[in-house]
Amino acid sequence: MATGRISDCEAVVEGWLGQPANSLSSLAYIIAAVAVVVAVDRHGHRMIGYVLAGSLGLVGLGSFLFHGTGTQPGDLLHTVSIPLVLLSVVAAAFASRGQAVRMAWPPTILFGVGLAVYLFSRTGGPLCGPDSLLQGHAAWHVLSAAAAGWFGVRVVSRGPA
């Protein structure tokens, strides 16, 4: 049952997950973090991989708590962790020692598609359907997590993923 509130286009419902699509899709960041850790373990120790994986995990947890519970601690972790992922991706690009441009094209295109979906499906946007099972913000979570994880795996393995 919807409460009448809308956040990131998804109607907030009563229950343990206020925004089911947006909170469950946040787990994509945790999956991306695991993929980066597996790549680090497979290709040798690379600190930047662990940093990126940790920041992706924090975004996943923060986003899950923010969209799921709507609490202030969840909002704080969500807000603080997003810049950490961005900084980690930039640091990973620098750590790739010039290979970042070649390695970044496919994940950047994927990120761009996710960003377009995010922008057009924001609350009040042309693709916003607050009561729909398919949520643009949830798609943004999955696409941006996949892009960051893909880039992280490529940086750690120093080659095509």
Side-chain angles (χ1 to χ4, degrees):
M1 168 181 280
T3 65
R5 289 185 20 237
I6 296 173
S7 174
D8 293 315
C9 186
E10 187 174 9
V12 177
V13 297
E14 292 186 29
W16 69 281
L17 288 180
Q19 293 181 293
N22 289 343
S23 54
L24 292 175
S25 64
S26 299
L27 300 177
Y29 295 106
I30 294 172
I31 293 168
V34 169
V36 173
V37 167
V38 167
V40 169
D41 290 345
R42 186 174 298 150
H43 297 283
H45 176 73
R46 296 219 166 70
M47 184 55 70
I48 194 61
Y50 288 126
V51 170
L52 180 57
S55 66
L56 284 167
L58 283 176
V59 162
L61 178 61
S63 186
F64 181 83
L65 291 173
F66 172 69
H67 292 294
T69 66
T71 61
Q72 194 169 14
D75 185 22
L76 179 63
L77 183 56
H78 178 256
T79 302
V80 169
S81 62
I82 291 171
L84 290 177
V85 164
L86 295 174
L87 289 172
S88 297
V89 167
V90 169
F94 280 111
S96 70
R97 298 186 187 132
Q99 297 179 43
V101 172
R102 179 179 55 82
M103 293 187 307
W105 276 108
T108 300
I109 292 168
L110 186 61
F111 182 84
V113 170
L115 188 58
V117 169
Y118 169 76
L119 293 173
F120 285 107
S121 64
R122 294 180 76 182
T123 302
L127 299 180
C128 177
D131 296 316
S132 173
L133 290 175
L134 300 174
Q135 289 294 319
H137 195 77
W140 157 251
H141 286 164
V142 172
L143 293 170
S144 64
W150 188 0
F151 182 69
V153 167
R154 292 186 84 161
V155 165
V156 168
S157 63
R158 299 279 198 252

